[in-house]
Each structure stands twice: as structure tokens, then as C-alpha cells.
Amino acid sequence: MIERILDWLTKPMYWLLGPLIVFANRLLDRLPRPLDPFRSIKLKLGVLLGISGATGLSVFYFSLGGIPWRTAISAAMVGVITLQVLAHGMTKPLREMTAAARSMARGDYSRRVRATSRDEVGTLARAFNLMAADLAASDQQRRELIANVSHELRTPITALQGVLENMVDGVSTADPATLRTALAQTQRLSRLVTELLDLSKVDAGAVTLQRVPVPVAEFLATVVEEAGLNSPKTRFRLDGVVAHTISADPARLHQVFANLLENAARHSPPWGLVTVSARPEGTATVFEVLDQGIGIAPAHRERVFERFTTKVSRPGALPSTPDADRRGTRAGQTARSDGGTGLGLAIARWAVELHHGTIAIVDPPAGVGCRVRITLPHGPR
């Protein structure tokens, strides 16, 4: 109610005097700042009050031929006390921001500033609180990323160390099966490092698209052939691919489908079928990758595109337990149990969005498997 009354009273003033205030601010910005050496805003206000009082006394002196000293001293004392009381509330947000900034320097992002005033200080306090919340979220993501990366790096290293120790101790021999196990762990390490480098480029904004005309049918045929070589126990097939050309970055597009097909193969049963389709719709092309795995619960379909997602369940999966939560599922559990890193889908979404497209998990036909749908515009927007 009070804010509405203040708005009603001050709105005509700002409407009439707004241009003059803007002009005066621009003019004053060019003037020197004689009060900058003072370290306290309240002291600055006191100086301003003293200058205003001296100006008033000068008017009295030249108008009346004298100064009523008793009245002037009493008025100055009342003015100073009133200034100190009111200035305390005015400068309190600034002191709180100083204390909060010092806490941030020590890694504590939990402090906030009380922002109740409607002036510039209040606006600054609200902006400071928003910045503090963003920094807290960013710091939390950084901590989670470090913890997840450490975990992901430790898992294959531990497995590889176990294989090598068994070979050194004579528990196992350097037969092809043992060497394949060691090779799989080194490949997982290599893939994780590569994906982390890609994510670092994403965060740095250092990746730009190199768009060229891409024939969709030929491109998908190449990607599917490569996926078949990398996952010999999974069948890949093109289904309903309409031949046409889009403008895209072939390297980033290859990254998208390589990650999707690798993910589909990892979650498919042995000799399961993964189909890839593409059809133009209006000014965009709709791609779909369908596997025969156990799918992803609708409530968790968005989370699989988050980095290192660890608690995504599938329809028909066993009830969640603390131990199961630690292992995670599709992007988490399977990422740990079958060589995934939990980063492939996050990178795929980034590459798709770089093309101004969308990617989502949609309902599979007959409720079987997982279907990923990508919509890419035919050209740059």
C-alpha cells in the first residue's frame, strides 16, 4: 500500500523532471568528486549537511544582517543526530555487502543482504543477492563436477590396476581375455578425457559451428557403419531415412549420433536392434534413434541429459536402494557398469542446441526401448 502511494506521488515528478534529472546526472558525472577521499558515507552526508547549513546561515547573514547562533547550533545538533539515525539504515546494506563479499572470498556463498529499500542501494543489494545465488550454484556445480570426475577416473584406474596386479602376482596370465579387459579400461579412460575436454570447450564458449551442406542419408550411413564396428554385438539399421541435405557442422553432428548410438548399444540386449530414421518436416529435420533396452521412466527423461546423472530409474527397474543409488542407472549406473561416462548425452544436447535444435526422450512405440528425437533446422536461423 505504501509503495503504491509512493509510486502515485513520485511518478508525475519523474515524468516531468526525468529528462532534467538524466541531463543533470550526465553533467555531474563529468565533475570532480571532492568527497571521494572520505571513507564513510555517513561522514560524507555529514559534510553535505554542514555545507547546506553553512549555505543557510549565509542566507540568514546577508538577509537579516546577523545569525541567530543559539537557534543555528540547536538546529545543527538535531540535524546531525537525525542524519546519523537515518544514515545508519541507508548504509547498512553496503556494510552487509562488504561482509558478504569477504565471506565469498573465503568460499562461503550463503550470506545474503537485506534489500528492502527502493533506491539505488536497494537495487544494488538485490543485484548482489542474485549474483551471490548464481555464484553459489556455480560453486556447487564445480564441486559436484570435481567429485564426479574423480569418481569416474578412479573406477577404470582401479579396475586396470587390479588386472595388472593379478598378472604381476601370477593370479592371471596375459591371455587375450585379460588384455581385452585392460584395453577396455584404457579406452574408457581415453573416452572420459576426450569428453571432459569437449565439455571444457563448451564451458569456455570456444566452439563455433563450421556449417556445410550435409547429405543426411550418406551421413547417417557412415555413422551407423562406424557404430557397427565399435559395437559388434548390436545390430544397427537405417529405417525411413529420406534423402535430403541440411546445413550443419558435420563434426558436431557426428559427435551427436556417435554418442547416441554408443549409448543405445550399451543399453540394448545382446544382438538388439538400434534403428535410425530421418525425415524432413517443414523447415526442420526430425531424427530418431530407437533401441530395444528397458527405456527410461518419463519422470527422469530430462535428467539423462545432465552431466553425471546418477539417479535415473527405468520402468520395471528394481526399487531404489541406497546402494543402488550410489551405483545410479542409465546415465549413472550403466555409465559405471558398462563403460559409459555419464557425459555423452550432455555433450549431444550441447551440440544439438549449438545448431538451434532440440533433443528429447519421447515415448517409444509399444512402450519398448528408448527413443531419442532430435529436431534440427535445415539452415542457420
Side-chain angles (χ1 to χ4, degrees), residues 123-153:
T123 303
L124 177 62
R126 284 185 284 275
F128 183 89
N129 287 338
L130 182 61
M131 180 195 69
D134 291 342
L135 288 176
S138 177
D139 183 68
Q140 181 65 25
Q141 292 177 354
R142 179 184 62 82
R143 293 174 186 272
E144 292 177 355
L145 179 63
I146 292 175
N148 289 328
V149 168
S150 301
H151 177 85
E152 295 297 333
L153 288 174

Side-chain angles (χ1 to χ4, degrees), residues 290-298 301 315-316 362-371:
L290 174 64
D291 64 40
Q292 295 180 325
I294 59 176
I296 300 174
R301 288 175 180 173
V362 298
D363 292 333
V368 177
C370 176
R371 179 162 63 173

